[in-house]
Amino acid sequence: MKQVKKTVKPDVQEPVHVSDKTLREFMGYNLKRSFNVIQSELIQILEPFGLRMVTYSTLVMIADNPGMRQSHLSDALSIERPNLVVIIDELERRELIMREQSKIDRRAFELRVTLAGKQLCEKATEANRQSEARLLKDIDPEIQKLMLQTLNKIEKSYDG
Amino acid sequence: MKQVKKTVKPDVQEPVHVSDKTLREFMGYNLKRSFNVIQSELIQILEPFGLRMVTYSTLVMIADNPGMRQSHLSDALSIERPNLVVIIDELERRELIMREQSKIDRRAFELRVTLAGKQLCEKATEANRQSEARLLKDIDPEIQKLMLQTLNKIEKSYDG
DNA sequence: TATTGTTATACTCTATAACTATA
DNA sequence: TATAGTTATAGAGTATAACAATA
């Protein structure tokens, strides 16, 4: 059984007055709500490419960092090493990436995208760009930039 | 076994140059990264109250909407009804909320917080406020306001 | 016939322990 | 002794189908 229900509900919304005013105070709640909308879109955009969010971001990271190792990827994407293995397996089985034993440390594997992987990655990324642009079309580009900066500031505020 | 590993990694970060430049283009990726930081904080803040994110938000919603039904709560928080049942069970067992059979529709239950539930809810909410204030202390309040507005605009852009 | 809450269940995601082969 | 990748497994979280009671 496939799972396609990661999408936000159709939300026909009966006229039932439910207030989330307390939760609305919080940045975290608002962040999650809007992320859910973007996530729903992204899942639909990636589906025709046979990619899930996690396989897509893994593919992109390998394309951006040729020769990187699974342990570094695990750190960068905050995916536990054991869970990354099956993701890498899937991408390798589809011949989108390759594992190559490192010559300087034979415990490790260097990861690289194949030509097909690079092409799929670029197509998916372009589709994402267009999808996000559509979603953010009514938001001033300057405000978008400010928002990205602020989000990074929040992210970096962890531990300093 | 409790699960306390929802926290973001200590991130001692060896000097390995890993770039996420392509993913950084995307609002969704940045949103998720900063949400993860807020989420880590929130989990730690709620833990002393014996609350998880989902039990907390459920409790808050019931406090804000006395008499509301499970089906409406399910819609509002995008939790499937069957999954909400066990959450409501847990809150009721702890005597933080009460189920009361509706007099106008005997299939339904009206949900209300108990005094203990109201008090716990208020304490947890205050702890959250302080935690978020700490996390956002270096971000101009005007920019925070703009950010909330923009997040809501993104959220509402789904289907319109 | 449809809806509310429920039970049972399955699938995905995420986390941990322990192994192997190297270092 | 420690690390990279792996295996197996357990635990959350989330999804669907089907039922009883009621509308």
Side-chain angles (χ1 to χ4, degrees), chain A residues 41-42 45-46 48-49 56 120-134, chain B residues 26:
Chain A
E41 286 290 313
L42 183 51
I45 292 295
L46 292 176
F49 299 101
Y56 171 68
L120 189 74
C121 185
E122 281 167 1
K123 277 185 205 158
T125 295
E126 190 48 38
N128 279 348
R129 282 202 191 98
Q130 289 176 18
S131 164
E132 270 214 359
R134 229 175 300 126
Chain B
F26 296 104

Side-chain angles (χ1 to χ4, degrees), chain B residues 2 5 7 12-13 16 26 33 47-48 58 67-68 73 76 84 89 102 105 116 131 135 141 145 157:
Chain B
K2 273 283 176 56
K5 180 59 191 318
T7 38
V12 187
Q13 200 78 337
V16 179
F26 296 104
R33 300 283 305 203
E47 199 274 336
T58 300
M68 87 182 305
L73 193 47
L84 189 58
D89 282 349
S102 167
D105 183 344
S131 164
L135 205 69
K145 235 171 85 180
S157 76

Side-chain angles (χ1 to χ4, degrees), chain A residues 69-102:
Chain A
R69 298 172 184 187
Q70 291 179 210
S71 54
H72 301 148
L73 194 47
S74 164
D75 289 344
L77 292 177
S78 294
I79 300 172
E80 295 300 320
R81 265 155 293 240
N83 298 328
L84 188 58
V85 170
V86 300
I87 296 163
I88 299 289
D89 281 349
E90 181 183 329
L91 293 173
E92 195 182 35
R93 194 174 354 97
R94 291 179 59 191
E95 301 189 340
L96 299 172
I97 65 164
M98 291 181 316
R99 274 180 175 104
E100 201 178 345
Q101 197 173 36
S102 167

Side-chain angles (χ1 to χ4, degrees), chain A residues 99-110:
Chain A
R99 274 180 175 104
E100 201 178 345
Q101 197 173 36
S102 167
K103 273 152 193 157
I104 53 173
D105 183 344
R106 284 181 319 184
R107 293 171 303 181
F109 289 101
E110 297 175 355

Side-chain angles (χ1 to χ4, degrees), chain A residues 46 49-66 68 73 77 79 84 87-88 90-92 94-98 111-125, chain B residues 22-23:
Chain A
L46 292 176
F49 299 101
L51 294 169
R52 292 167 296 142
M53 278 175 47
V54 70
T55 48
Y56 171 68
S57 48
T58 300
L59 185 59
V60 171
M61 287 297 286
I62 297 172
D64 273 359
N65 301 276
M68 88 182 305
L73 194 47
L77 292 177
I79 300 172
L84 188 58
I87 296 163
I88 299 289
E90 181 183 329
L91 293 173
E92 195 182 35
R94 291 179 59 191
E95 301 189 340
L96 299 172
I97 65 164
M98 291 181 316
L111 303 172
R112 285 183 183 80
V113 289
T114 62
L115 178 59
K118 187 167 157 32
Q119 289 172 345
L120 189 74
C121 185
E122 281 167 1
K123 277 185 205 158
T125 295
Chain B
T22 300
L23 294 178

Side-chain angles (χ1 to χ4, degrees), chain B:
Chain B
M1 281 290 140
K2 273 283 176 56
Q3 172 201 351
V4 193
K5 180 59 191 318
K6 263 287 188 272
T7 38
V8 164
K9 299 199 171 172
D11 231 33
V12 187
Q13 200 78 337
E14 306 101 48
V16 179
H17 35 284
V18 174
S19 164
D20 60 353
K21 66 179 160 61
T22 300
L23 294 178
R24 280 290 170 200
E25 288 179 34
F26 296 104
M27 189 64 79
Y29 182 73
N30 289 278
L31 236 91
K32 180 152 177 56
R33 300 283 305 203
S34 62
F35 174 71
N36 283 347
V37 169
I38 295 184
Q39 183 179 232
S40 297
E41 285 291 313
L42 184 51
I43 289 168
Q44 289 185 306
I45 291 296
L46 293 176
E47 199 274 336
F49 299 101
L51 294 170
R52 291 169 295 143
M53 279 176 46
V54 69
T55 48
Y56 171 68
S57 49
T58 300
L59 185 60
V60 171
M61 287 296 287
I62 296 172
D64 273 0
N65 300 276
M68 87 182 305
R69 298 173 184 184
Q70 293 180 209
S71 54
H72 301 147
L73 193 47
S74 165
D75 289 343
L77 292 177
S78 294
I79 299 172
E80 294 300 319
R81 264 154 294 238
N83 299 328
L84 189 58
V85 171
V86 300
I87 295 163
I88 299 288
D89 282 349
E90 181 184 329
L91 292 173
E92 194 182 36
R93 194 173 355 97
R94 292 179 58 192
E95 300 189 343
L96 299 172
I97 65 164
M98 291 181 315
R99 277 180 174 102
E100 202 177 345
Q101 196 172 39
S102 167
K103 273 152 192 155
I104 53 174
D105 183 344
R106 284 181 318 181
R107 292 171 304 180
F109 289 99
E110 297 175 357
L111 303 171
R112 283 182 185 80
V113 289
T114 62
L115 179 58
K118 187 167 157 29
Q119 289 171 345
L120 189 75
C121 184
E122 280 166 2
K123 278 185 204 157
T125 296
E126 190 48 37
N128 279 347
R129 282 200 190 99
Q130 289 175 17
S131 164
E132 270 213 358
R134 228 175 301 127
L135 205 69
L136 303 178
K137 70 179 188 311
D138 293 332
I139 295 163
D140 187 296
E142 282 304 311
I143 292 181
Q144 290 187 38
K145 235 171 85 180
L146 182 63
M147 179 124 149
L148 289 177
Q149 288 167 1
T150 310
L151 288 170
N152 284 311
K153 217 165 158 182
I154 294 173
E155 185 185 336
K156 298 301 179 301
S157 76
Y158 183 81
D159 257 352

